[in-house]
Amino acid sequence: MSRCAEYTRRAIEAGGVDIGNTRHAKDYGGNLERAGFREVPPGSTLIAGDVAVIQPHPGGNQSGHMTIFDGTTRFSDFRQRSMYPGPGYRAAQPSYKIYRKD
């Protein structure tokens, strides 16, 4: 089972922000907003601390995906090489939202 949401949540909590917990990575948007994050417009330049909540793709994990950007690299339960965590996501390019804490 993928642990992207758990590891991303733990990274956020290590920064002093409690975002609560949900069952699926794809559902963390509301939790992030309640914790003071705001959605940034598509195409915005990413900054350290930005969190992506990615929706599932057909045939993939139906929990979706969540990742945090450290200013250089995206991390979830592993070090990612792009916004999308794997070939299925890169091929399907499902929708996502970026959240930023001000």
Side-chain angles (χ1 to χ4, degrees), residues 8-44:
T8 303
R9 177 182 49 80
R10 285 183 179 188
I12 295 165
E13 289 173 347
V17 179
D18 180 6
I19 64 167
N21 202 353
T22 71
R23 181 179 168 127
H24 301 288
K26 67 180 181 178
D27 297 329
Y28 264 95
N31 289 45
L32 290 164
E33 289 175 345
R34 284 187 290 281
F37 285 76
R38 65 174 173 82
E39 186 180 340
V40 296
S44 296

Side-chain angles (χ1 to χ4, degrees), residues 24-68:
H24 301 288
K26 67 180 181 178
D27 297 329
Y28 264 95
N31 289 45
L32 290 164
E33 289 175 345
R34 284 187 290 281
F37 285 76
R38 65 174 173 82
E39 186 180 340
V40 296
S44 296
T45 300
L46 295 179
I47 63 171
D50 283 355
V51 177
V53 175
I54 305 172
Q55 297 306 300
H57 65 87
N61 184 332
Q62 292 307 296
S63 289
H65 188 72
M66 189 162 83
T67 181
I68 190 167

Side-chain angles (χ1 to χ4, degrees), residues 66-89:
M66 189 162 83
T67 181
I68 190 167
F69 185 62
D70 76 350
T72 304
T73 305
R74 293 165 184 87
F75 290 90
S76 55
D77 48 342
F78 65 97
R79 183 181 184 157
Q80 296 183 203
R81 63 181 174 152
S82 71
M83 171 70 70
Y84 292 114
Y89 277 95

